[in-house]
Amino acid sequence: MSVLAFLSLIVAIGLAWIHILASRMRFLDTLPRSRWLSLAGGASVAYVFVHIFPELSKGQQTLESVSYAALGFLEHHVYLVALGGFSVFYGLERLAARSRQYNQKSGMGNFTTLEVFWLHIASFAAYNALIGYLLLHREEANGLGLLFFAIAMALHFIVNDRGLSQHHKHSYQKVGRWLLASAILVGWALGYATEIPQAGIALLFAFLAGGIILNVLKEELPEERESRFWAFILGAFVYAAILLIAEAG
């Protein structure tokens, strides 16, 4: 195992622990929304716009250079995959919200139905496995790139955990968070055992970019969240500045 692969394993374990321990961060359960969650959301989005989107541009060139017929329709539309990731997680969010509303009206509690819980968790498990896989396979495969990716995903997971916990309550705490933590390690193991072509990596990164944007904005935009705009902006600009300085150096 190379040094970089070993470091990526340590990062995968650390990200898994974030899912397990995030529920103990009680200081985040506030209204108005905790400034720390808004700060984390801003940093996550900054990583997408400053780092992932430029990588998608490179990925577009990679796709244009392959001759697979199955990828032909994406020759000039890698951003459609990012839109797909955005749309998939938007649909999942709407499904979960409506399920909670149905249970509330039926007097069954302020959480989703069991069927929606499993669909939601299975989707996020695949999402986490993708992130675990990309710990090993990214366009920028070096220690600094791994560090920036790890920080952005750690902050992103904290934001995701609050939303999932609100939707699913006890089911998430008892089962869901453990499955999501395990999915990161499964994704890393798949990445260590297999390697897909660069065109595939470009598509995975595009899907991830769309998912991150939706999963952050769905937590920040609803009026009832009373989000901290300045904390979000601060997180976005500070992390963007760090990324740009690192790339310039």
Side-chain angles (χ1 to χ4, degrees), residues 4-244:
L4 192 59
F6 178 74
L7 290 175
S8 69
L9 175 58
I10 299 301
V11 169
I13 294 171
L15 292 176
W17 272 107
I18 285 176
H19 271 303
I20 295 170
L21 299 177
S23 60
R24 300 192 180 188
M25 300 177 185
R26 299 299 183 188
F27 65 93
L28 298 177
D29 295 327
T30 62
L31 197 66
R33 183 173 173 80
S34 168
R35 62 177 59 88
W36 298 110
L37 283 176
S38 293
L39 193 78
S44 301
V45 169
Y47 184 81
V48 171
F49 280 92
V50 174
H51 191 82
I52 294 185
F53 277 174
E55 293 297 335
L56 292 187
S57 179
K58 297 177 184 177
Q60 180 65 68
Q61 297 173 13
T62 301
L63 284 177
E64 291 174 358
S65 67
V66 301
S67 57
Y68 303 126
L71 296 179
F73 77 102
L74 291 173
E75 182 175 324
H76 300 289
H77 303 290
V78 67
Y79 292 99
L80 283 179
V81 180
L83 176 61
F86 185 97
S87 301
V88 165
F89 284 96
Y90 176 72
L92 289 169
E93 176 64 18
R94 293 303 305 148
L95 181 64
R98 290 184 178 182
S99 179
R100 283 178 66 188
Q101 292 172 0
Y102 175 81
N103 271 357
Q104 282 183 297
K105 291 178 181 179
S106 303
M108 299 173 64
N110 185 24
F111 47 83
T112 63
T113 62
L114 192 60
E115 294 81 6
V116 171
F117 164 73
W118 283 113
L119 176 61
H120 215 188
I121 293 302
S123 301
F124 271 91
Y127 181 79
N128 280 14
L130 168 59
I131 292 171
Y133 184 91
L134 290 173
L135 287 173
L136 281 164
H137 304 290
R138 300 179 317 284
E139 291 283 347
E140 192 178 79
N142 56 51
L144 190 59
L146 175 63
L147 175 63
F148 288 137
F149 183 68
I151 292 172
M153 294 304 100
L155 296 173
H156 181 51
F157 283 164
I158 292 172
V159 174
N160 275 357
D161 266 291
R162 311 322 292 175
L164 291 168
S165 182
Q166 289 174 356
H167 276 319
H168 307 299
K169 303 296 191 296
H170 180 68
S171 295
Y172 180 74
Q173 297 301 323
K174 186 177 180 181
V175 178
R177 62 191 177 119
W178 295 96
L179 292 177
L180 297 189
S182 300
I184 299 168
L185 299 177
V186 170
W188 182 91
L190 289 173
Y192 187 72
T194 63
E195 184 173 357
I196 65 175
Q198 282 299 107
I201 296 295
L203 296 180
L204 293 179
F205 243 126
F207 187 86
L208 177 63
I212 290 175
I213 292 173
L214 186 281
N215 285 316
V216 170
L217 294 186
K218 75 179 176 62
E219 296 297 324
E220 290 294 324
L221 293 182
E223 184 177 351
E224 65 271 15
R225 294 280 201 276
E226 298 184 35
S227 300
R228 308 279 190 158
F229 172 74
W230 290 112
F232 182 88
I233 293 298
L234 179 64
F237 277 89
V238 169
Y239 202 62
I242 292 172
L243 290 170
L244 291 173

